Amino acid sequence: MTATKPRIVTVRQHILKANDHTAAENRAAFAAAGVRAINLASSPGAGKTALLERTLRDLAGQVNMAVAVGDLATENDAARLRQHGAQAEQIVTGTICHLDAAMVQAVLPRFDLAGLEVLFLENVGNLVCPSSYDLGEAARAVLISTTEGEDKPLKYPTMFNTADVVVITKMDLADAVGFDRDLCRENIDRARPGVPVIELSSLSGAGLDAWYAFVRGQGV
Amino acid sequence: MHEASIALSLIDVASEVLREHGAARASALTVRVGAWSSVVPEALTAAFPACAAGTPLEGARLSVVTVPGVGECPVHGRVTLDVKRGLRCPACGAPTPTLLAGDELELDEIELAEPDREDL
Ligand SMILES: [Zn+2]
């Protein structure tokens, strides 16, 4: 008999299974309240907050909406969003560069879910880390702006591969920055074959009808 | 980067397995990380020792196995994908929308440092 005999245990478990469990609880809470939760992810500055501001303004009185917004430190985004009459709660993530399901669960008691139709979960500006974390959302929208280069989908394949819709923002700037629309769409399709793509401008309003159909859960 | 968060979750999952097996410590663990997992193996390996300090995983050897992406081409069957080219068959360029492998982020095995009572 040896004193210590190493023993190998086969585990084969998802490392984020605790997050998956909490995400399932969130998803059940949203389903029970009839809330459509939409997870928005993008690089910093891709225009998530601008798109949400426009959405809150345009759909006011038609869709009951609220926002939970993740940010490393500041309250700026929530303050911006509240100006449009909707409830916006900040999730300060500190050093964590993504929202996880537990952070979302912790903020849910601040909302009257039963009175809501759509809850936007505005993720931290980052195309890497948020891809790993299911928040319990019904749909995930990944935004890319015309100003950030057409190769983003291939640089961040996991994020784009988990998207239910890809939104190209700042189309009003497309010509000025020499945006290659066909190349961008080709790269998006390589990252996520067949994913619906919406091109829009939160400034001019072009393309917003397709976005609003997605927000309402009416397809793209 | 979120590898520290991943390392902490890994330690939680591993600690639970140790408890289930009545083991106090692990000497090694193997993790499978897919090319489409968005986790960088080197960053995870670098983050792990500090995260494991003071836990039953302290000092455990972490091995990260990288799993390549595998898709299914309608013509060529199962094909290994190149992350830089996206979900396209490397032979003919056809879309391979579903990842059959390569999105793993899992604790594969643990080597327990102490034996079970039955083994004594
Ligand atoms: Zn092929």
Side-chain angles (χ1 to χ4, degrees), chain A residues 186 189-191 193, chain B residues 79-82 85-91 93-96:
Chain A
E186 159 71 16
D189 196 69
R190 280 176 177 269
Chain B
V79 288
T80 301
L81 304 170
D82 175 354
R85 300 190 60 220
L87 299 181
R88 288 288 190 273
C89 172
T96 60

Side-chain angles (χ1 to χ4, degrees), chain B residues 73 76 89 92:
Chain B
C73 171
H76 297 95
C89 172
C92 69

Side-chain angles (χ1 to χ4, degrees), chain A residues 11-79:
Chain A
V11 184
R12 289 277 164 97
Q13 285 181 3
H14 187 207
I15 288 172
L16 296 178
K17 66 173 192 167
N19 185 78
D20 293 344
H21 179 80
T22 307
E25 291 177 348
N26 291 348
R27 191 164 278 118
F30 295 140
V35 174
R36 176 168 165 80
I38 300 175
N39 182 354
L40 281 91
S42 77
S43 310
K48 288 191 299 297
T49 308
L51 178 58
L52 286 182
E53 287 186 278
R54 177 86 194 220
T55 303
L56 296 178
R57 209 161 65 227
D58 287 358
L59 298 186
Q62 302 172 51
V63 180
N64 291 325
M65 299 166 286
V67 186
V69 51
D71 206 337
L72 297 172
T74 68
E75 276 268 350
N76 294 343
D77 285 350

Side-chain angles (χ1 to χ4, degrees), chain B residues 59-84:
Chain B
R61 190 174 68 254
L62 173 65
S63 307
V64 179
V65 176
T66 304
V67 184
V70 175
E72 177 126 35
C73 171
V75 177
H76 297 95
R78 286 172 74 99
V79 288
T80 301
L81 304 170
D82 175 354
V83 81
K84 291 187 206 70

